[in-house]
């Protein structure tokens, strides 16, 4: 491997980083750039993937093995080895595929797989928070930490959200695992964002009330905000999340309740669950609501098969887009759950190829606008079912004993996970972040809806691993 780029023994009292290596593509690549769409440009922060393994062949051996695998993989993912730059002609951020490299670290800790808590997660990731310029900011870091408490090890992958969304992110992980096992790519990535370019001139055909001026938030992307994002995330106040489990059986029962009155003939598990959670969340925040208050539900949809021609399943970038459903406070409280589901279904139907292109053009004209939920609004982030493949991710040492996707501390969205930290895949695991008083109110309303919907929900105890 290449020589380390930092001196040893940096880190926290629980985790010490011993060496950091630069990992570059294993073969020379033609220098190129990757255009960043108006959707990409709203994701100026890093996402996190954390895997714990019991069968340890030797952590140094793991580091060397991953170095070789990652170097091979970067040939297919030149953007992950590149750097962000500002195009001097367009004044837009783009990725310079200059093979500057990703970073790979070796660390040690006295923690064990079981003992590592949300308070320790930051130290298991190699932070680029000290970068002083975009040229210094790696878009991908990997840290391998030996866990002395039980001789296991953790692999923490920090990748910039400008590179990919959850769907293309899991394909990156599956490709890394495949290469690491000595196989070929699981799915060759496609970085072509032509379909996501704004028209010239931009043509806004819809009102787009879903967008708000977010200047100064984590969604407003500038070189300075990108450099400060990781530090801001680590310093943000941490609030405990609570997780509720909706099994497939209970989701099916919920869908029967929704379709019972005939208003909707069928609905998806997401639609039924989102309606239930939206109502409970809205009622928990009722102190600021009047009968005519317009409540909004923000949720995301994958546009890969909405845009025409389709982006394709192998599209590597940000292909998810926010949708907004609206309902008055009075209707939310008085109407059956089926009406809320119908409202969500109608919002989903709004997201067509024409609407998407209008939205992209709107963002071209209003680069500081994006989806931000207000005080009387609810935001749901549903992770694709494909993410459940993470619990089986075999890098050559068997499947992980524990999988975590630590959320941004500033993220207030209710998150639907397709699995839990122990690898259970049964329905949805709903992670809720609320202040103590609203949490109690939320649970009271969930309990009332439980009776209304024939015991379709089972609350779990506080689940810090989803933080």
């Amino acid at each position: 491997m290449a020589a380390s780029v930092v001196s040893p023994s940096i880190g926290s009292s629980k985790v010490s980083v011993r060496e950091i290596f630069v990992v570059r593509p294993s073969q020379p690549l033609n220098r190129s750039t990757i255009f960043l769409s108006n959707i990409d440009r709203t994701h100026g922060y890093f996402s996190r993937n954390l895997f714990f393994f019991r069968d340890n062949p030797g952590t140094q051996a793991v580091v060397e093995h991953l170095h070789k695998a990652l170097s091979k993989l970067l040939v297919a993912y030149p953007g992950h080895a590149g750097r962000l730059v500002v195009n001097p002609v367009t004044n837009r951020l783009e990725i310079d595929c200059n093979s500057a490299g990703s970073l790979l670290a070796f660390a040690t800790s006295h923690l064990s797989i079981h003992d590592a808590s949300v308070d320790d997660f930051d130290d298991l990731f190699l932070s680029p928070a000290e970068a002083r310029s975009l040229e210094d900011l790696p878009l991908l870091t990997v840290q391998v930490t030996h866990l002395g408490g039980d001789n296991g090890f953790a692999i923490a992958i920090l990748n910039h959200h400008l590179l990919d969304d959850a769907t293309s992110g899991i394909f990156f992980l599956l490709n890394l695992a495949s290469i690491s096992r000595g196989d070929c790519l699981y799915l060759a990535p496609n970085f072509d964002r032509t379909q996501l370019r704004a028209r010239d001139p931009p043509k806004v055909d819809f009102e787009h009330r879903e967008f708000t001026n977010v200047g100064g938030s984590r969604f407003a992307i500038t070189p300075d905000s990108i450099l400060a994002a990781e530090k801001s995330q680590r310093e943000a106040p941490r609030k405990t999340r609570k997780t509720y489990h909706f099994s497939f059986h209970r989701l099916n029962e919920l869908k029967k309740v929704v379709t019972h009155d005939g208003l909707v003939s069928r609905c998806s598990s997401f639609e039924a669950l989102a309606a239930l959670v939206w109502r409970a969340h809205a009622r928990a925040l009722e102190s600021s609501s009047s009968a005519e208050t317009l409540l909004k539900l923000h949720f995301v949809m994958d546009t890969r098969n909405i845009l025409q021609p389709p982006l394709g399943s192998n599209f590597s970038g940000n292909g998810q887009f926010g949708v907004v459903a609206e309902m008055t406070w009075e209707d939310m409280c008085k109407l059956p759950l089926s009406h809320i589901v119908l409202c969500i279904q109608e919002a989903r139907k709004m997201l067509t190829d024409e609407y998407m292109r209008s939205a992209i053009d709107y963002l071209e004209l209003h680069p500081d606008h994006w989806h931000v939920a207000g005080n009387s609004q609810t935001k749901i982030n549903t992770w694709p079912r494909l993410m459940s493949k993470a619990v089986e991710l075999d890098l050559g040492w068997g499947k992980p004993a524990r999988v975590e996707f630590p959320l941004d501390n500033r993220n207030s969205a209710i998150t639907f996970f397709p699995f839990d930290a122990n690898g259970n895949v049964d329905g949805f695991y709903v992670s809720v972040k609320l202040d103590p008083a609203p949490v109690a109110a939320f649970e009271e309303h969930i309990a009332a809806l439980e009776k209304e919907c024939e015991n379709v929900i089972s609350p779990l105890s506080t689940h810090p691993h989803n933080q």
Side-chain angles (χ1 to χ4, degrees):
M1 295 190 293
S4 61
V5 295
V6 298
S7 57
S9 297
I10 63 174
S12 70
S13 59
K14 291 185 178 180
V15 180
S16 296
V17 178
R18 302 301 182 179
E19 291 183 287
I20 302 178
F21 305 93
V22 177
V23 184
R24 295 186 172 89
S26 60
Q27 64 188 57
L29 301 176
N30 293 327
R31 192 163 182 172
S32 61
T33 59
I34 295 178
F35 167 81
L36 294 177
S37 73
N38 290 333
I39 301 176
D40 291 323
R41 294 197 301 162
T42 60
H43 295 87
Y45 50 95
F46 287 84
S47 56
R48 302 178 173 202
N49 314 274
L50 181 56
F51 303 90
F52 295 87
F53 296 88
R54 295 194 187 281
D55 296 330
N56 192 345
T59 311
Q60 285 280 19
V62 171
V63 172
E64 293 178 6
H65 184 90
L66 278 181
H67 190 288
K68 293 178 182 178
L70 189 58
S71 182
K72 291 180 181 178
L73 184 63
L74 291 178
V75 174
Y77 284 89
H80 288 61
R83 296 293 184 268
L84 289 170
V85 296
V86 177
N87 186 301
V89 176
T90 64
N91 201 35
R92 292 178 65 104
L93 280 168
E94 60 188 21
I95 300 175
D96 179 10
C97 301
N98 59 3
S99 297
S102 303
L103 297 184
L104 173 64
F106 164 55
T108 57
S109 173
H110 294 299
L111 293 169
S112 67
I113 294 174
H114 176 74
D115 293 337
S117 71
V118 61
D119 293 327
D120 304 311
F121 287 171
D122 279 351
D123 296 323
L124 296 174
F125 288 87
L126 179 61
S127 172
E130 300 305 316
R132 294 290 179 261
S133 69
L134 294 181
E135 295 176 352
D136 299 329
L137 183 72
L139 301 182
L140 172 69
T141 73
V142 181
Q143 179 171 311
V144 180
T145 303
H146 176 256
L147 303 174
D150 55 10
N151 199 37
F153 64 98
I155 296 178
I157 301 174
L158 191 75
N159 61 298
H160 206 288
H161 209 321
L162 285 167
L163 293 168
D164 46 36
D165 58 13
T167 298
S168 49
I170 189 62
F171 280 125
F172 174 81
L173 294 174
L174 292 171
N175 278 327
L176 175 60
S178 185
I179 295 294
S180 182
R181 296 193 307 269
D183 299 327
C184 59
L185 289 173
Y186 181 91
L187 182 70
N190 168 29
F191 305 101
D192 184 6
R193 289 158 165 80
T194 302
Q195 282 289 87
L196 296 172
R197 286 183 180 270
R199 292 170 290 194
D200 188 14
K203 186 173 180 288
V204 180
D205 299 317
F206 298 87
E207 188 175 354
H208 297 296
R209 290 185 298 167
E210 69 269 27
F211 293 129
T212 305
N213 190 321
V214 293
S217 83
R218 71 191 181 102
F219 298 103
I221 305 306
T222 66
D224 288 342
S225 70
I226 288 176
L227 290 170
E230 182 63 14
K231 182 179 180 181
S232 298
Q233 175 173 336
R234 288 172 177 249
E235 293 178 350
R238 180 172 289 114
K239 294 182 180 179
T240 300
R241 283 179 170 265
K242 194 164 187 178
T243 299
Y244 302 84
H245 178 210
F246 296 77
S247 68
F248 285 124
H249 171 73
R250 287 169 174 165
L251 288 171
N252 287 332
E253 292 300 309
L254 177 59
K255 288 191 287 185
K256 291 177 183 178
V257 172
V258 168
T259 58
H260 181 72
D261 63 6
L263 181 66
V264 294
S265 59
R266 58 187 301 177
C267 69
S268 68
S269 294
F270 165 78
E271 291 164 349
L273 184 56
L276 184 76
V277 170
W278 185 14
R279 171 178 278 178
H281 185 254
R283 287 179 174 176
L285 301 174
E286 64 181 300
S287 59
S288 61
S289 301
S290 64
E292 298 305 315
T293 297
L294 190 62
L295 304 179
K296 292 185 178 183
L297 171 67
H298 296 244
F299 60 97
V300 295
M301 289 178 59
D302 196 329
T303 66
R304 282 167 172 78
N305 292 318
I306 293 175
L307 286 167
Q308 298 300 320
L311 293 173
S313 60
N314 67 335
F315 171 73
S316 188
N318 288 283
Q320 293 189 336
F321 192 76
V323 177
V324 177
E326 297 178 330
M327 179 173 280
T328 65
W329 166 253
E330 185 175 29
D331 286 345
M332 175 70 69
C333 293
K334 292 183 176 180
L335 294 176
L337 205 59
S338 57
H339 287 258
I340 305 176
V341 168
L342 181 62
C343 179
I344 293 171
Q345 290 179 339
E346 290 175 345
R348 297 184 78 174
K349 291 177 182 177
M350 279 288 295
L351 192 59
T352 62
D353 177 71
E354 294 79 10
Y355 191 92
M356 270 295 300
R357 297 198 181 284
S358 176
I360 291 169
D361 289 355
Y362 179 95
L363 292 172
E364 186 76 9
L365 298 172
H366 305 280
D368 289 334
H369 286 221
W370 190 237
H371 308 279
V372 174
N375 292 333
S376 63
Q377 301 173 25
T378 303
K379 185 173 183 180
I380 294 177
N381 184 11
T382 304
W383 289 43
R385 186 64 61 184
L386 181 69
M387 292 295 293
S388 60
K389 288 184 176 291
V391 303
E392 302 289 339
L393 195 73
D394 183 1
L395 294 158
W397 308 287
K399 71 177 185 179
R402 179 179 169 190
V403 178
E404 301 283 357
F405 290 93
L407 299 176
D408 189 328
N409 292 323
R410 300 163 295 173
N411 184 359
S412 60
I414 297 171
T415 305
F416 291 7
F417 289 97
F419 59 88
D420 69 5
N422 298 316
N424 298 309
V425 181
D426 181 18
F428 282 119
Y429 300 82
V430 179
S431 175
V432 180
K433 176 184 177 182
L434 289 169
D435 292 325
V439 161
F442 178 81
E443 291 187 347
E444 288 177 7
H445 294 303
I446 285 290
L449 289 169
E450 179 183 27
K451 295 180 180 178
E452 178 183 333
C453 297
E454 302 177 352
N455 299 324
V456 295
I457 179 173
S458 173
L460 296 179
S461 59
T462 299
H463 193 330
H465 304 314
N466 282 338
Q467 188 52 280

